[in-house]
Amino acid sequence: MKIMVINPNTSRSMTDHLRQELERIKRPDTELTVVCAEKGPETIESAYDEAFAIPPTLELVKKANQEDYHAIIIACFSDPGLEAAKEISKIPVIGIEESSLHMAAMLGAKFTVVTPRRQRIPSKREHVHIRGMGHFLASVRSLDLSVAETDSNPEMTKKRVLEVAKQAVEDGAEVIILGCAGMAGYAPEIESKLNIKVLDPMAVALKVAEAVVELGLVHSKIGLYSTPPEKAFK
């Protein structure tokens, strides 16, 4: 199966990081193409950045459909443009935030989302509630780091996650979600030092995408994700 992983920011470093981690855990028969937008924010750390990232992301979604991919992953924990991408795509589009929130809800009574910047805590709470999962949310905790730092400084990031995870346990969390694509690959080491389940949203999204393709599933087109009129693409 062919899966396109779209990094909605323009960071080549983060894109290479994602490619390296996903190649390590993909199925042998999965062919991955990991790309980033040519235009847009270098990192996504605000609502403005999310909005800025959506148009080039949707162009890559169209490209994946035209080139006969079997699934798409949007590799940002804000899931920028996810609903629009599902509307215009004939193949499954998996958001790393959406898929990991649902997975966390299956693994424990409460989860905590760990996000890089403190300013993004309200938006992460809102995303959980919009998906009707507020009763699973123990807390949203901040690392007080930039998105770029989570990618460029793994050791500092892991240290901060370990500190924040202890607070999350006090909040009642049974599952920790690493709420940034820049933390791809960090979960196993962090989990080995904690008595709590730690989710890497990139890994979750990849395995969900592989399963969805194998099951022959795609988004329903009769309502919420129905294809817009052709004029919407002009």
Side-chain angles (χ1 to χ4, degrees), residues 8-11 14 40-46 49-50 146-149:
N9 68 43
T10 61
S11 170
M14 188 175 296
E42 186 173 0
T43 58
I44 297 177
E45 308 192 48
S46 65
D49 291 337
E50 288 179 30
S146 69
V147 169
E149 286 173 322

Side-chain angles (χ1 to χ4, degrees), residues 6-35:
I6 301 173
N7 175 13
N9 68 43
T10 61
S11 170
R12 301 289 181 180
S13 170
M14 188 175 296
T15 304
D16 291 342
H17 173 192
L18 298 180
R19 183 181 299 109
Q20 178 181 349
E21 293 300 329
L22 294 178
E23 285 286 347
R24 187 173 54 82
I25 63 172
K26 73 177 183 66
R27 287 172 28 160
D29 63 336
T30 298
E31 178 185 334
L32 287 179
T33 301
V34 185
V35 297

Side-chain angles (χ1 to χ4, degrees), residues 156-186:
M156 179 175 66
T157 302
K158 292 172 187 176
K159 180 181 177 181
R160 283 292 296 136
V161 172
L162 287 170
E163 294 169 351
V164 170
K166 294 175 182 177
Q167 299 172 331
V169 172
E170 295 178 0
D171 297 333
E174 298 177 9
V175 181
I176 303 292
I177 304 174
L178 302 181
C180 180
M183 292 186 266
Y186 298 175

Side-chain angles (χ1 to χ4, degrees), residues 72-139:
I72 299 163
I73 296 171
I74 296 182
C76 172
F77 201 75
S78 298
D79 287 348
L82 180 61
E83 287 73 21
K86 290 180 182 181
E87 285 184 347
I88 66 172
S89 181
K90 296 178 181 178
I91 61 176
V93 184
I94 309 298
I96 69 169
E97 181 184 59
E98 181 179 51
S99 57
S100 58
L101 291 179
H102 284 285
M103 185 64 70
M106 292 193 292
L107 299 178
K110 295 281 185 179
F111 58 73
T112 286
V113 175
V114 176
T115 191
R117 298 181 68 238
R118 186 173 301 276
Q119 293 87 340
R120 298 296 282 162
I121 289 176
S123 70
K124 299 308 171 187
R125 287 180 180 152
E126 181 180 15
H127 289 184
V128 173
H129 286 282
I130 286 173
R131 301 203 181 284
M133 304 178 73
H135 58 292
F136 289 106
L137 182 64
S139 58

